[in-house]
Amino acid sequence: MKYTIKGDSDCPLLEVSLAPTETIKMERGSMVYLSNVSLEGKMNSQKKGLGGLLGAIGRSVTSGESMFITQASGVGPNAFVGIAPSIPGKLTCLHVGGNTQYCLNTGAFVACDDSVNYQMQAQDLGKAFFGGTGGLFVMKTVGYGDIIVSSFGDILAVEVSHDRPMTIDNEHVVAWDASLDYQIQIASGTFGFTTGEGLVNVFHGNGTVYIQTRNIHNLADALKPYLPQNNGN
């Protein structure tokens, strides 16, 4: 994928250049502008027919992702498309292939090469019960190529090793090496009531976790006192 990240660091825009007949996948509704590019909506599944429909519905219900995905294809010379994520923050490219695959948190996906897909991966019941995102499934990349993910705020790489496991708040996790093992736990006290912290992911193994520096739910809570109240009138 040949791309440029434009704009400032808080609200960047992804511009992807496409050769004739070259295709990428992008998040539904994220197109800002295009030239010599055709857009086509597809079900968010690698399968066709009824199996593809059920797979797309399954992705939407279990992971919070859209049932549909947009394919952008170059149809002429100097083709390009501008793509913007729904929330302000950084954009980062992850290179996938072979044993280097990633799990994605809900809403992290922006765009990827057509040779990259992401599929549902079942979690155990403990993780599904406590997980704030993903539910019974998380999204795992397959294939070879580049995938662009977005964060709320900055995005940082945190290294995990066998002798240094990492505990990270659920709401700050963007993506992580699929080879890492993790458990979802209560941070402290009774569901974190004593410290103000909630659920955390404890990562073990060797690999990288990409985190976002801001928590969108904390922002929403901070803004509530300043928003008009609906009294039912």
Side-chain angles (χ1 to χ4, degrees):
M1 185 190 302
K2 185 178 180 181
Y3 68 92
T4 303
I5 296 177
K6 297 187 172 184
D8 59 30
S9 60
D10 294 326
C11 298
L13 180 143
L14 177 72
E15 185 176 285
V16 181
S17 299
L18 296 170
T21 73
E22 181 183 2
T23 298
I24 63 166
K25 301 183 184 78
M26 51 189 276
E27 178 61 14
R28 180 173 176 265
S30 62
M31 189 276 291
V32 179
Y33 57 79
L34 55 79
S35 178
N36 288 335
V37 170
S38 68
L39 300 181
E40 184 178 5
K42 297 280 189 178
M43 284 185 297
N44 196 359
S45 175
Q46 298 180 59
K47 299 178 181 179
K48 298 184 181 297
L50 180 60
L53 175 61
L54 294 176
I57 293 172
R59 285 174 186 258
S60 180
V61 171
T62 58
S63 72
E65 298 290 346
S66 172
M67 281 180 56
F68 300 94
I69 200 165
T70 299
Q71 284 189 335
S73 302
V75 293
N78 302 316
F80 57 88
V81 56
I83 305 168
S86 58
I87 58 176
K90 289 292 184 65
L91 296 172
T92 297
C93 179
L94 303 179
H95 307 288
V96 304
N99 294 327
T100 304
Q101 301 294 339
Y102 293 92
C103 293
L104 305 181
N105 215 341
T106 303
F109 172 75
V110 177
C112 66
D113 285 313
D114 198 40
S115 55
V116 177
N117 290 288
Y118 57 103
Q119 62 189 14
M120 293 182 293
Q121 176 172 282
Q123 299 194 97
D124 62 46
L125 289 178
K127 293 175 183 176
F129 176 75
F130 285 114
T133 58
L136 288 169
F137 297 86
V138 293
M139 308 310 295
K140 180 183 176 182
T141 64
V142 292
Y144 291 80
D146 293 335
I147 183 167
I148 307 295
V149 297
S150 66
S151 63
F152 180 42
D154 205 350
I155 186 167
L156 305 176
V158 176
E159 299 302 323
V160 179
S161 61
H162 288 294
D163 59 351
R164 194 182 72 166
M166 292 294 297
T167 300
I168 303 172
D169 184 284
N170 264 10
E171 299 291 344
H172 286 268
V173 176
V174 175
W176 63 95
D177 280 332
S179 61
L180 289 172
D181 187 24
Y182 66 100
Q183 292 83 40
I184 299 177
Q185 301 176 0
I186 299 169
S188 63
T190 305
F191 286 92
F193 290 158
T194 58
T195 64
E197 304 298 333
L199 299 172
V200 295
N201 298 68
V202 183
F203 291 93
H204 301 269
N206 278 306
T208 305
V209 181
Y210 292 89
I211 64 169
Q212 56 188 15
T213 59
R214 294 293 180 267
N215 179 333
I216 197 165
H217 290 103
N218 283 352
L219 175 62
D221 290 341
L223 292 176
K224 280 181 181 179
Y226 305 99
L227 298 177
Q229 299 299 310
N230 184 357
N231 296 321
N233 297 327

